[in-house]
Amino acid sequence: MKMCIIYWSGTGNTEAMANLICEGAVSAGADVTLKEVSSAAVSDITDADIAVFGCPAMGDEILEEDEFEPFMNTVTSMLNGKKIGLFGSYDWGDGEWMRIWESDVKKAGAVLLKEGLIINLEPAGDDVELCREFGKEIAGM
């Protein structure tokens, strides 16, 4: 099974999550492509069985606006029927950005495999295993 993980990270927290999710997916037997959004292509998504997107909450709990949100706007029309997962880190708030993001991808027809994974700041302690398990579970779906 082919999986792509595409993320944006400003502080390294979401990147750390992406790497741990990748570890979990690989341990479950997935063939994973891991890319920062700046180097991602539409073909990364169309060629994958599962697409996993990661972006932290920014400002008023929104997606990063310069690179990640434009990329999502470009690929949203391709998500109909596509199995996806969402993740990201946050510093404050209650996860509103993730709930909005989940709603948006569902409206686009995506098959959201799990509730989006959110981690406060960088993954540490139990959060490390949560990220790996997220990758394993999605790879098994």
Side-chain angles (χ1 to χ4, degrees), residues 119-137:
I119 300 288
N120 183 246
L121 299 173
E122 70 179 297
D126 293 342
D127 293 338
V128 169
E129 194 53 35
L130 277 176
C131 291
R132 287 185 182 127
E133 284 301 315
F134 186 82
K136 284 179 193 174
E137 289 175 21

Side-chain angles (χ1 to χ4, degrees), residues 7-11 14 37-38 54-73 89 97 101:
Y7 70 92
W8 185 91
S9 186
T11 63
T14 301
V37 71
S38 60
C55 185
M58 303 293 289
D60 291 329
E61 287 204 79
I62 59 172
L63 295 175
E64 190 277 327
E65 296 176 293
D66 293 329
E67 289 184 86
F68 197 84
E69 185 179 38
F71 180 81
M72 285 303 298
N73 289 340
S89 61
W97 103 100
W101 194 10

Side-chain angles (χ1 to χ4, degrees), residues 2 9-10 13-14 45 54 60-61 67 88 91 94 114 135:
K2 290 181 73 173
S9 186
N13 296 339
T14 301
I45 297 164
D60 291 329
E61 287 204 79
E67 289 184 86
D91 186 8
D94 69 356
K114 286 184 60 71

Side-chain angles (χ1 to χ4, degrees), residues 2-55:
K2 290 181 73 173
M3 177 189 291
C4 69
I5 300 173
I6 298 170
Y7 70 92
W8 185 91
S9 186
T11 63
N13 296 339
T14 301
E15 180 179 17
M17 290 179 71
N19 287 320
L20 291 165
I21 291 166
C22 182
E23 286 177 21
V26 168
S27 75
D31 175 12
V32 182
T33 300
L34 177 65
K35 289 189 174 183
E36 290 185 48
V37 71
S38 60
S39 64
V42 169
S43 61
D44 293 318
I45 297 164
T46 57
D47 292 348
D49 301 305
I50 297 172
V52 182
F53 302 104
C55 185

